[in-house]
Amino acid sequence: MKKIDLNIPEVAVREIRLGSITEFHGNAETLVKNSCRGKMCDKGRSFSQCLDCSISKATCMVALIQDAAVICHGPVGCASCLHEFAFTYRVNAPLRNVANPTQRRIFSTNISEKDTVYGGTEKLAAAIRQVHNRTQANVIFVLSTCATGIIGDDIESVVNDAEAELSIPIVAIFCEGFRSTVWTSGFDAGYHGIARKLIKPAQEHKKDMINVINFWGSDIFSEWLAVLGAKPNYITPYSTVEILSHSSEAIATIQACQTLGSYLGAALEQEFGVTEIKTPPPYGIAQTDRWFRELGKLLGKEKEVEQLIAEKKAVYLPKIEQLRTKLRGKTAYVTAGAAHGHALLSVLRELGLRVIGAAIFHHDPIYDSNTEVSDGLAQSIRDYGDVPNYDVCDKQEFELVNMLNHLHPDVLLARHGGMTLWGAKFGIPSLLIGDEHFSMGYEGIVKYGERLIEVMENDEFVKNLAQHSINPYTKWWLKQSPYKFLKGGEGCQR
Amino acid sequence: MSTCENIDSGSINQVRYGCALGAFHSVVAIPGAMPIAHCGPGCVDKQYMSLDFYNGFQGGGRSGGAVIPSTNLQEEDVIFGGAKRLQELIEATLKIIKADLFVVLNGCIGELVGDDVGAVVEEFQKQGVPIVNAETGGFKGNNFIGHEIVVKAIIDQFVDKYAAKNVKRQKGLINVWSELPFQNTFWRGDFNELKRILEGAGFQVNILFGNGSGGIEEWKRIPEAQFNLVVSPWLGLSIAQHLQDKYGQPYLHLPVLPIGAGQTAEFLHKVVAFAGIDSKQADEFITTEEREYYYYLEHFTDFYAEYWWGLPSSYAVIGDSTYNLALNKFLVTQLGLLPVKQIITDNPPQIYRDKIRSEYKNLDSDVSAEVSFLEDGYRINDLLQHLNYGHKPPIIFGTTWERDTTKKLGGSIVEVGFPASYEVVLNKKYIGYRGALSLLEKIFTTIISKSA
């Protein structure tokens, strides 16, 4: 099966497309070795806690497009949390120079019990017309949900009819929660819709335009790319339908996080001829070197890149060394999404910390670029060594709590809600940074190191809290192996 | 058992409530209770992120947020059914999680594919596990409807079974049903104040939710109460009716949640009269509280009378019926502000709507207010922009969704309902004596901060 096929409405979920898994325990190196041999599969957990689902992930890539509207076709609950993106859009707008961040246009078809019997397609068709009249959005995205998936609403037909009637792109995104255990499948679903209906074939590629696939991180690429005579084209949050339609004209695509951009980066390369920078994003000194060099090579700016690297290193390496003297030997635990988690493993170890474990939400044995070069975890192991207690654990708090109880790291690093608070409850200083660009590059290592020291020094709140917080887990559980409820056992081999 | 229904309102923008499954928050609100969700992978997280996190950043505490066990149903469960998966999850939960009561909530998937959750739960009940089952498919209605389903399930499957038998009704003991926990951003502080004033007046109170509740021991005493007190325009009425049918327990319905000295005294007098207890303690409590309340109001008067840049004179409230009515009553009778338009957003069942409307006809002897029932944010904000607020911009009591409109109107906004994403709430309260003082602080700090 072709991994990327823009002729069909739906993209296959990650388990099927990439062989992704959500369960593993062991050393990071074992995981990487088993992944390349195609030995991984999930057997399930006999205990599980609530996860995230694809809908939110698809939404965050489409609702933050400046001139888009989004209809969540399902019961009201599937859309009730989407205001988090309206909030994020406003909070992060200054980082991306959006002066007047408008209200996000998010709708729910609010289907009722009656609709589950008679179908919800008429309600959807009416909602699309209404949203078009109300918002004059340049694109309307329609998200499917578990309920409308199960009752079998033919969303694709409704959307195509509406598109013919209203003459704007109307994009169905198939992201029912039950389809995938890997919620990042939702990113792919969103991008598939964008690639199918919004990105137009390019007449030519512009040497000064580089796509950056990211979330809502601060604009650090303008300065970096200026040295190479190029400008970043951030996609898809804060972009517009017009910008997206021209993203095919870029000379290259870079990723802030391959967990996020795997599918879009590959689609831009395979379907629109935009070269993807395959080496993982620039976290840690060695990888920043590699990343800049690959970019320089592509742009024919090798000399400029060498000069940039030299200048930056002259400024930042001494500072990094200073930070290492304060941080060396401190123990750290990481919980994050996959690619960004790998990035944090590198940054922490660059700063001299000892990473004693990680709970990473899923694992993609390979990305859509289909090359081992992109494997950030393998690269981090090559650069800094193995990581013990490396769990693939999709926000299963009970495993994390058990693990923290055994390991007691000096600091907990995270990039997702829901888990970080357990650091605080155990009296472990914790740091969650939502800006995915924060620790990138040589300067990012310095910024991150300084933040780490602040957090570890200011532990009064968490130390105090730890003495008073209530633990809902049984004493029995805290004494068990954290992997007791993995049905396949550790390593989960086929 | 009659279950209330929302009105099918079509598609909506700017959602102002969760789905029926979101009522797992009512379980989280009971100390010692733990929800178990039989639903899709993102359902619980979505309701947590919306009702709990980006709504005052209330926090999950012991049994909320990422703690909640969930079957996270997948495609194979949709095809083959997920009941076995649930059974396995419950078995594991009993080993891993400490709780006095487990409440299984069935979501859209389980209900649509027809999983017999009741049968799975019943097996555990037979073994003496304190566990109940609530059918809360998201398409059944909003979290207000879900709350009533969950509460009735706990009463029927747990309280009824574990309550002491043949215990006499206790005069002066009240079960209180009021705001919807977590949906109302300030419920924790409000419930504590409600309990405080009722206890001050001489009652014993089963507050049932929040930090002031005695958890499941308190729930087991529900049948012992002299009566049920419903303090909201409609939420909780069907629960009280259910308890009346079940235990012959009477109920008192007071639609107005009291804010400020005037309303609170009136409220306490009504409860005392209904209970038929001696009013001496209530009278003394009211006197003491009023002394404190008016001490602060007296000092506030300098500002109120002499703030020479002017204060808004008109307002609109956009919110759930309980807070909407409560705020209206306070703003009109205590502050003398002019109601322009009141928008009720919790989609109350049709049978209650005329009654709710009538409450606004007599906010004060000479003041009535116009009410609209709307949930669609687009229509709400469109309406707000086309009202006549008089010669000064209004103060809007609403949600984060009303911020843009308020800016356009040049007015001030106090976020009083879901979603309140620009409030960080610990135990702040807006009701009773003490809550009214916080509310006054909030209103006027907001207004004068406009020039900051």
Side-chain angles (χ1 to χ4, degrees), chain A residues 138-368:
Chain A
N138 291 328
V139 59
I140 298 173
F141 294 100
V142 176
L143 308 177
S144 64
T145 62
C146 292
T148 50
I150 293 173
I151 64 174
D153 276 358
D154 184 357
I155 296 175
E156 183 68 11
S157 297
V158 175
V159 157
N160 288 338
D161 291 349
E163 197 167 57
E165 179 187 324
L166 303 175
S167 306
I168 59 161
I170 300 178
V171 186
I173 296 176
F174 295 92
C175 52
E176 298 94 333
F178 66 78
R179 298 264 188 224
S180 181
T181 51
V182 186
W183 56 77
T184 53
S185 289
F187 293 138
D188 313 337
Y191 288 150
H192 183 70
I194 289 169
R196 279 187 81 207
K197 291 207 169 172
L198 297 187
I199 301 177
K200 305 279 177 262
Q203 302 301 316
E204 53 167 357
H205 294 288
K206 297 177 182 161
K207 279 214 113 176
D208 64 345
M209 173 178 169
I210 296 180
N211 293 324
V212 179
I213 304 177
N214 73 336
F215 289 93
W216 30 67
S218 48
D219 173 27
I220 59 166
F221 288 98
S222 288
E223 185 214 316
W224 290 0
L225 297 181
V227 181
L228 310 178
K231 287 186 207 120
N233 181 47
Y234 290 110
I235 50 178
T236 58
Y238 297 102
S239 67
T240 62
V241 171
E242 176 72 11
I243 289 171
L244 287 168
S245 73
H246 292 288
S247 57
S248 54
E249 293 166 13
I251 188 75
T253 300
I254 55 186
Q255 307 263 9
C257 167
Q258 295 137 304
T259 292
L260 172 71
S262 169
Y263 190 80
L264 184 56
L268 278 163
E269 177 164 302
Q270 292 170 33
E271 302 290 320
F272 299 97
V274 185
T275 306
E276 181 190 349
I277 299 291
K278 310 279 192 318
T279 194
Y283 295 97
I285 293 172
Q287 187 53 31
T288 303
D289 292 351
R290 275 182 218 112
W291 184 85
F292 269 121
R293 285 182 179 134
E294 188 170 327
L295 194 60
K297 200 167 141 196
L298 182 85
L299 299 176
K301 302 267 183 184
E302 287 95 334
K303 246 202 293 182
E304 287 85 345
V305 157
E306 289 309 322
Q307 199 183 336
L308 176 80
I309 292 175
E311 281 172 13
K312 289 210 176 256
K313 281 187 167 175
V315 177
Y316 294 109
L317 291 197
K319 291 184 179 169
I320 294 171
E321 191 46 43
Q322 270 178 5
L323 290 164
R324 281 185 191 132
T325 59
K326 291 186 185 167
L327 292 166
R328 188 164 283 136
K330 301 273 187 211
T331 56
Y333 189 90
V334 172
T335 173
H340 195 78
H342 307 155
L344 288 176
L345 295 178
S346 295
V347 173
L348 289 165
R349 296 191 290 171
E350 191 67 79
L351 284 163
L353 287 100
R354 199 155 59 81
V355 178
I356 55 174
I360 303 297
F361 297 163
H362 79 285
H363 185 72
D364 299 314
I366 194 121
Y367 295 113
D368 291 285

Side-chain angles (χ1 to χ4, degrees), chain A residues 115 136 180 241 365 370 389 410:
Chain A
D115 301 318
Q136 281 88 50
S180 181
V241 171
N370 211 18
N389 301 307
D410 295 323

Side-chain angles (χ1 to χ4, degrees), chain A residues 48-51 77-78 80-81 90 106 108 110 113 123 130 134 177-179 397 471-474 487, chain B residues 8-13 41 45-47 50 67-68 70 72 75 85 88 95-96 98 139 376 378 404:
Chain A
S48 54
Q49 290 162 306
C50 56
L51 307 175
C78 300
S80 64
C81 78
R90 291 234 151 127
I106 300 167
S108 166
N110 187 21
E113 189 148 22
K123 215 168 186 176
Q130 189 185 53
R134 284 175 170 189
F178 66 78
R179 298 264 188 224
E397 189 191 89
N471 191 331
Y473 297 99
T474 57
K487 288 184 187 171
Chain B
D8 192 349
S9 56
S11 67
I12 49 180
N13 177 215
D45 188 66
K46 281 196 153 62
Q47 298 303 302
S50 53
V67 179
I68 299 174
S70 166
N72 303 321
E75 191 133 25
R85 178 83 196 88
E88 182 181 64
K95 290 183 193 155
I96 297 178
K98 289 181 281 190
F139 51 79
D376 176 15
Y378 182 87
D404 284 5

Side-chain angles (χ1 to χ4, degrees), chain A residues 16-30:
Chain A
I16 294 170
R17 218 175 66 245
L18 306 176
S20 307
I21 55 159
T22 56
E23 296 154 17
F24 172 83
H25 168 66
N27 293 338
E29 204 161 1
T30 315

